[in-house]
Amino acid sequence: MIAEALHTILKELPPRVKLVAVSKFHPAEAVMEAYGAGHRVFGENRPQELKAKAETLPADIEWHFLGHLQTNKLKMVLPYASLVESVDTLHLLEEINRWGAANGKVIPVLLELHIGAEKTKQGFTEEEVLELLFRADSFRFIRFCGLMGMASHTDEEDTIDADFCRIADFFAYLRDLFPELSDFCELSIGMSGDWRIALRHDATIVRIGTAIFGERA
Ligand SMILES: *Cc1c(COP(=O)(O)O)cnc(C)c1O
């Protein structure tokens, strides 16, 4: 079933789009089922769970971290994650940079942009992202790889479309403004309910959980 769901989605994705199979709350067996079907990129949102899975599952898995990250949990995430997609505060970015310096490792990150209607949603404002990228040089152990965003929680396609439009436009603007940031090329938008809409806005990464693994326990 997992393999079938994966293949159905992969068939529709243009080759330039990376599929992150979001395995949070699902057991290692579910990850291994997708792995057996050839998939290698998985997403987790809890530090402990990422660490536990990364330490026991095959080493050629590429793990993305997508959750809220507290600065006292960096050591459970940064040794394992190929990409931290959910950097949402300056303080977190500074602490990741500090960890990178101490461990001699450059950490690839996406900046999470607040685009949805919900006030509770995490993420930077456009102004904050601009301010931060103007001094990207000062984060020597951070590799800025692009933006991540979550659309409003709604079934209204127009609203989701507008949310993705906004982040895609801002992403294009940043790419023009900061050509020296040569790794700034990923736009991570689209989840189980809205990834087809995200493709219309040039997503380069989609993060899909439920549509692959079923409902989370
Ligand atoms: C859980 C999660 C997803 C996957 O959500 P689904 O609706 O199950 O596809 C994607 N992105 C983030 C940031 C998540 O936390």
Side-chain angles (χ1 to χ4, degrees), residues 27-102:
E29 294 72 40
V31 176
M32 285 313 294
E33 205 174 323
Y35 184 90
H39 201 68
R40 294 293 180 269
V41 188
F42 295 89
E44 291 287 336
N45 77 337
R46 295 185 297 182
Q48 205 105 40
E49 189 174 347
L50 170 70
K51 176 177 156 73
K53 282 176 173 158
E55 284 182 341
T56 52
L57 295 173
D60 63 341
I61 290 180
E62 177 183 324
W63 296 101
H64 289 205
F65 188 77
L66 326 154
H68 183 62
L69 183 50
Q70 287 170 298
T71 52
N72 61 347
K73 305 250 166 91
L74 295 187
K75 63 180 181 300
M76 288 184 209
V77 170
L78 301 184
Y80 308 103
S82 303
L83 183 62
V84 180
E85 295 206 16
S86 46
V87 173
D88 57 356
T89 65
L90 179 60
H91 176 62
L92 175 59
L93 192 70
E94 286 169 344
E95 289 302 308
I96 294 175
N97 188 60
R98 192 194 308 271
W99 190 94

Side-chain angles (χ1 to χ4, degrees), residues 22 24 66 148 150 191-192 207-210 216:
V22 180
K24 64 189 190 197
L66 326 154
M148 187 271 260
M150 273 185 276
M191 309 176 19
S192 288
R207 312 173 309 271
I208 302 182
T210 314
R216 290 178 279 275

Side-chain angles (χ1 to χ4, degrees), residues 110-139:
L110 302 183
L111 301 176
E112 182 172 352
L113 190 70
H114 180 112
I115 49 169
E118 294 84 11
K119 291 222 166 48
T120 51
K121 271 219 174 92
Q122 295 154 190
F124 290 108
T125 62
E126 276 95 341
E127 290 74 20
E128 288 169 333
V129 169
L130 272 172
E131 228 169 84
L132 202 155
L133 289 181
F134 272 118
R135 55 189 201 86
D137 273 358
S138 60
F139 300 96

Side-chain angles (χ1 to χ4, degrees), residues 130-167:
L130 272 172
E131 228 169 84
L132 202 155
L133 289 181
F134 272 118
R135 55 189 201 86
D137 273 358
S138 60
F139 300 96
R140 291 194 39 233
F141 292 87
I142 300 282
R143 179 172 301 131
F144 292 97
C145 296
L147 297 180
M148 187 271 260
M150 273 185 276
S152 307
H153 190 70
T154 174
D155 291 331
E156 281 172 46
E157 197 170 318
D158 288 352
T159 305
I160 296 170
D161 202 72
D163 287 344
F164 286 161
C165 194
R166 180 168 145 208
I167 190 170

